[in-house]
Amino acid sequence: MVNNAHTRKVTPVDPHRLRVLILEPHASGHHGPYLELMARGLASRGLCLTIVTLPESMKHPSMIAIAHSAEIRQQDAPQLIPAHSPLALHNTKRGIGGLVARESAYWRMFRTWYRVYAHRFRPDVVFLPYLDYCLYAIGLLGSPFGDCAWVGLAMRPSFHYRRVGVIAPRPALASVKEALFFRLLRNTHLRCLLTIDEALSEYLAGWPALKRKTAFFPEPVELRDLPDPVDAKQRFGVPSDRRLILVYGAITSRKGVLELLQALADPVFPSSVDVLLAGEISPEVHEALASSVTAPLVAQGRVRPMDRFIESEEEPTLFAAADMVWLGYRGHYTPSGVLAQAASAGRPVLACEEGVIGWQAKRHNLGEVFDPANPVALIAAVRALLRHNGARAAEGVAGPSPVGGKMSHALDVLDRALAGYVGYERGVSSR
């Protein structure tokens, strides 16, 4: 059942502002920060936003920030509504059974949320910041939002990877997923499908009839002017003569952190290089940090753990302090916001050869691309960046980021998608 007990008194709906109902159940990982950036930006442009999320997500710093802005700004701020799911969302099944069960659960939840809140907020358009919750279910079952226009941001489709040169395993049910994806694009009420995947955008360019319903959404990067690198390093207690590899985000084994730590302990690893782990550290990485191999490196300051949630205001200092950014992920095939941040900051990357990360790093000359499981290749990549002092990689990131965009550009794309490009002018209701 949907929980109305925690719903605060809502602000009366303004009929002269585009009304957007945003459904984002989760705030972990990139979900919360992305939602906060988009909500803040769209609200500043005059859109009337209502955000529905799960009660447990309300404790996330990004959700707290959205709620706080509503308390301060009142009329123009997004309205944040906690609501329960009508059924369990967590499914441990694998294969087609797990996919169907998981996506069907989200589809039904979104349908319930829409039915409960649509009559109260009378949305002009529904926005799913993470369409991948139920992308294929919508392709099969149709829109859960009745005849209301909707927009979705897709991040994880992978059926196209091999066709554009991305190194990745062939996904299960690739042909079925591709068919459902194109069926979704033909949905009558879909206003626009956005994607942060440059490879998918390139693939869709070959389908002119459907491409008009899609748009490339550049990874939003909001790094303010970077401080002086020496000053930035001093803030983290790093001597100016040390070279620093930044590992940013959720610090887990899937980020290739264990391989990096193992290589760092190798006597042939460049002795002038340290590693900064900035983000919440998983138990398995904590265990590795306490091992007999890595613990001495932590004690010496060669490994510097920052085990906590990193606020967006801290990001410019982090990237200013970094001499190179770690993207040697394992089994990660989708785009990366950290890659966009590194490119925007002009910092070369140590990137895995697989997935969109490797594809973009090669395509835009963003740094060294290698197999993280190969310690010899990993150390050689570090040495290459030190030898060139990042000059070769920096050539690929001079000026605007080739894999992301300023937040204002991303908001322009989202704003136009929500408004439907035509039929709506700011200050005039679309209904």
Side-chain angles (χ1 to χ4, degrees), residues 42 137 153 222 229 247 258 262 296 307 410:
L42 292 175
L153 175 57
E222 197 176 37
V247 186
L258 302 182
Q262 182 180 9
D307 184 16

Side-chain angles (χ1 to χ4, degrees), residues 96-342:
I96 182 62
L99 176 67
V100 171
R102 183 170 57 255
E103 293 216 358
S104 296
Y106 279 102
W107 188 92
R108 292 170 62 186
M109 181 183 71
F110 289 146
R111 181 180 62 177
T112 299
W113 283 1
Y114 175 75
R115 288 178 175 177
V116 170
Y117 294 106
H119 75 281
R120 294 180 59 189
F121 300 105
R122 293 179 284 124
D124 296 297
V125 58
V126 176
F127 176 44
L128 296 180
Y130 191 67
L131 176 58
D132 305 87
Y133 288 130
C134 57
L135 188 154
Y136 301 112
I138 293 179
L140 179 65
L141 303 173
S143 170
F145 315 122
D147 61 356
C148 185
W150 64 280
V151 172
L153 175 57
M155 301 187 184
R156 301 187 67 86
S158 58
F159 57 82
H160 61 289
Y161 282 168
R162 291 188 167 193
R163 300 189 185 185
V164 295
V166 175
I167 300 174
R170 177 176 172 82
L173 305 169
S175 298
V176 174
K177 290 179 178 179
E178 183 174 17
L180 290 174
F181 179 86
F182 282 104
R183 179 180 168 86
L184 177 145
L185 286 181
R186 295 183 177 91
N187 183 272
T188 304
H189 303 293
L190 172 65
R191 184 165 282 180
C192 184
L193 182 141
L194 303 169
T195 179
I196 64 169
D197 182 358
E198 183 186 6
L200 178 58
S201 183
E202 181 171 294
Y203 176 67
L204 292 174
W207 303 80
L210 293 176
K211 192 177 186 301
R212 65 180 180 81
K213 294 186 73 172
T214 69
F216 177 58
F217 181 78
E219 190 86 37
V221 178
E222 197 176 37
L223 287 177
R224 301 185 304 275
D225 293 337
L226 270 63
D228 178 77
V230 174
D231 293 340
K233 284 183 178 179
Q234 287 181 347
R235 294 189 193 182
F236 299 115
V238 179
S240 60
D241 62 339
R242 304 296 297 172
R243 296 294 172 258
L244 196 62
I245 297 175
L246 171 64
V247 186
Y248 178 50
I251 311 299
T252 68
S253 61
R254 292 190 65 238
K255 295 290 183 70
V257 177
L258 302 182
E259 287 77 8
L260 176 59
L261 294 176
Q262 182 180 9
L264 186 67
D266 193 312
V268 302
F269 192 93
S271 60
S272 62
V273 178
D274 299 336
V275 173
L276 175 62
L277 304 176
E280 296 178 341
I281 299 176
S282 69
E284 57 191 341
V285 175
H286 268 302
E287 184 177 344
L289 292 174
S291 69
S292 59
V293 174
T294 310
L297 298 175
V298 176
Q300 297 165 16
R302 297 288 308 280
V303 180
R304 299 171 180 270
M306 286 179 60
D307 184 16
R308 60 179 176 79
F309 178 80
I310 305 298
E311 301 289 346
S312 59
E313 293 79 8
E314 301 174 89
E315 291 178 341
T317 306
L318 281 174
F319 284 91
D323 294 283
M324 54 194 84
V325 179
W326 177 259
L327 284 148
Y329 299 169
R330 304 294 310 277
H332 182 109
Y333 303 106
T334 56
S336 166
V338 177
L339 179 63
Q341 290 177 305

